[in-house]
């Protein structure tokens, strides 16, 4: 770093990744600031306000070229009602205890990069049902509006057997998704859930975007360098909270499923977030498949991150 270079505008150069620029570019690359935010932090008046023309080069003071972007208005979601959360909390606790006793399901999770400890940390559980059958409860008991079937009888709340995948933020249960062992739909969202975007470790400076919420959990468990976004569906878009976090990220790794739907969705992500790069897993369709095929998720994620992030990774201290 050369603070006095470029007539006092400063300059930096990374010998590792060849990134270089002035003080403004340094703040953009290392702190995730926009051009305007960097100018404000350095108490510099942007050139468009002074009328001074500067050449377009990263190594000198310049404004980035503007390009049109499609309009995107992220949705905002509210938490489910208190009664629903109370019932969901009891279901999650009961299912967590059941998972702890099910060696087969725990082994399946481990094969996809989720250890027993990680399962506990993210409150994963297993709904064995009653006598091997799905659960049914009165919708009213969960605070849900009653629905009449065609025959005039009340429709029950269906709670199918399967892997319980809750999304909890600061103690608030936002959603319960269930992965069924068989049948369609394979994934089922419990009525009353919020459709807020699963955003894990939002304080981190880089994020991996995946379709499956289980894959998101596996990614954040594999490294402390990046958070993860679990969309639940390849066509889903980030909500207002996730959008704000992603706008300030230094790097977004687009690891949506390696199929035609994933490729199509990737174009939108790149248009919306310039720091988003396509980063499919080296083997398989998604991170869970990759783990089963011998890929180390931590190394794969790290390889896609800039030195601004990896340089801060704690070094292992070898004992004499």
């Amino acid at each position: 770093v050369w603070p006095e270079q470029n007539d006092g505008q400063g300059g930096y150069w990374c010998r590792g990744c060849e990134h270089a620029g002035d003080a403004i570019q340094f703040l953009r690359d290392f702190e995730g600031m926009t051009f305007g935010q960097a100018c404000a932090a350095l108490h510099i008046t942007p050139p468009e306000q002074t009328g001074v023309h500067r050449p377009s080069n990263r190594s000198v003071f310049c404004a980035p070229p503007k390009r049109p972007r499609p309009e995107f208005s992220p949705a905002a979601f509210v938490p489910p009602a208190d009664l629903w959360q109370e019932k969901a909390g009891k279901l999650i606790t009961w299912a967590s205890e059941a998972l702890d006793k099910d060696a087969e399901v725990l082994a399946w999770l481990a094969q996809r990069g989720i250890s027993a400890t990680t399962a506990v940390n993210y409150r994963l559980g297993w709904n064995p049902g009653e006598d091997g059958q799905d659960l049914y409860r009165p919708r009213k008991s969960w605070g849900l509006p009653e629905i009449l079937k065609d025959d005039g009888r009340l429709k029950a709340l269906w709670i199918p057997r399967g892997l319980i995948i809750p999304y909890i933020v600061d103690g608030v249960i936002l959603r319960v998704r269930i992965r069924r062992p068989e049948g369609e739909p394979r994934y089922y969202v419990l009525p009353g859930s919020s459709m807020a975007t699963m955003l894990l470790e939002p304080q981190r400076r880089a994020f991996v975007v995946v379709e499956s919420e289980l894959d998101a959990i596996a990614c954040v468990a594999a490294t402390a360098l990046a958070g993860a976004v679990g969309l639940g569906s390849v066509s889903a878009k980030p909500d207002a909270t996730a959008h704000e976090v992603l706008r300030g990220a230094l790097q977004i790794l687009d690891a949506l499923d390696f199929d035609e739907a994933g490729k199509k969705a990737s174009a939108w992500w790149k248009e919306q977030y310039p720091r988003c790069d396509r980063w499919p897993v080296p083997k398989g369709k998604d991170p869970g498949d990759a783990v089963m095929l011998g890929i180390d998720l931590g190394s794969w994620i790290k390889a896609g991150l800039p030195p601004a992030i990896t340089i801060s990774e704690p070094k292992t201290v070898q004992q004499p």
Side-chain angles (χ1 to χ4, degrees), residues 159-244:
I159 310 177
R161 295 176 59 253
L163 186 68
I164 301 292
I165 311 169
Y167 179 38
I168 306 172
V169 177
D170 296 332
V172 177
I173 303 172
L174 297 181
R175 179 172 55 254
V176 173
R177 193 185 299 272
I178 303 176
R179 185 187 189 280
R180 302 173 65 205
E182 58 185 5
E184 294 295 335
R186 176 53 61 89
Y187 285 92
Y188 170 77
V189 176
L190 201 62
S193 296
S194 165
M195 294 312 295
T197 304
M198 176 182 270
L199 176 65
L200 302 181
E201 304 297 339
Q203 77 284 359
R204 295 181 181 175
R205 307 172 77 194
F207 296 89
V208 184
V209 178
V210 295
E211 181 175 345
S212 165
E213 292 174 331
L214 288 177
D215 286 343
I217 293 173
C219 286
V220 295
T223 179
L225 294 175
V229 176
L231 297 175
S233 167
V234 70
S235 61
K237 302 294 189 292
D239 66 7
T241 299
H243 177 62
E244 190 62 27

Side-chain angles (χ1 to χ4, degrees), residues 5-23:
Q5 198 178 56
N6 297 325
D7 297 327
Q9 296 166 13
Y12 89 95
W13 171 50
C14 175
R15 293 178 174 85
C17 67
E18 296 297 328
H19 274 71
D22 56 16

Side-chain angles (χ1 to χ4, degrees), residues 40-108:
L42 296 168
H43 305 290
I44 294 174
T45 301
E48 62 266 22
Q49 296 181 20
T50 64
V52 177
H53 174 72
R54 302 271 185 171
S56 178
N57 188 295
R58 287 176 58 95
S59 63
V60 298
F61 181 85
C62 61
K66 295 182 179 180
R67 60 175 181 173
R69 292 183 189 171
E71 291 291 333
F72 172 54
S73 299
F77 296 97
V78 297
D82 291 343
L83 177 56
W84 186 95
Q85 290 195 54
E86 177 187 341
K87 293 291 186 178
K90 292 179 179 179
L91 172 65
I92 292 168
T93 299
W94 174 72
S96 296
E97 294 172 353
L99 176 61
D100 187 51
K101 302 173 184 177
D102 198 314
E104 183 178 348
V105 180
L106 286 172
W108 181 84

Side-chain angles (χ1 to χ4, degrees), residues 243-302:
H243 177 62
E244 190 62 27
V245 171
L246 292 171
R247 286 178 60 194
L250 288 183
Q251 180 68 63
I252 301 172
L253 300 179
D254 166 14
L256 294 173
D257 289 4
F258 196 61
D259 53 20
E260 287 304 316
K263 293 177 183 178
K264 183 178 180 180
S266 293
W268 181 90
W269 281 86
K270 186 62 178 178
E271 289 175 352
Q272 191 62 45
Y273 306 103
R275 293 175 183 265
C276 180
D277 294 312
R278 186 71 169 132
W279 197 251
V281 289
K283 294 182 181 180
K285 183 172 69 75
D286 53 40
D289 283 351
V291 174
M292 296 179 70
L293 293 171
I295 298 299
D296 180 272
L297 291 186
S299 298
W300 162 67
I301 294 171
K302 182 178 179 179

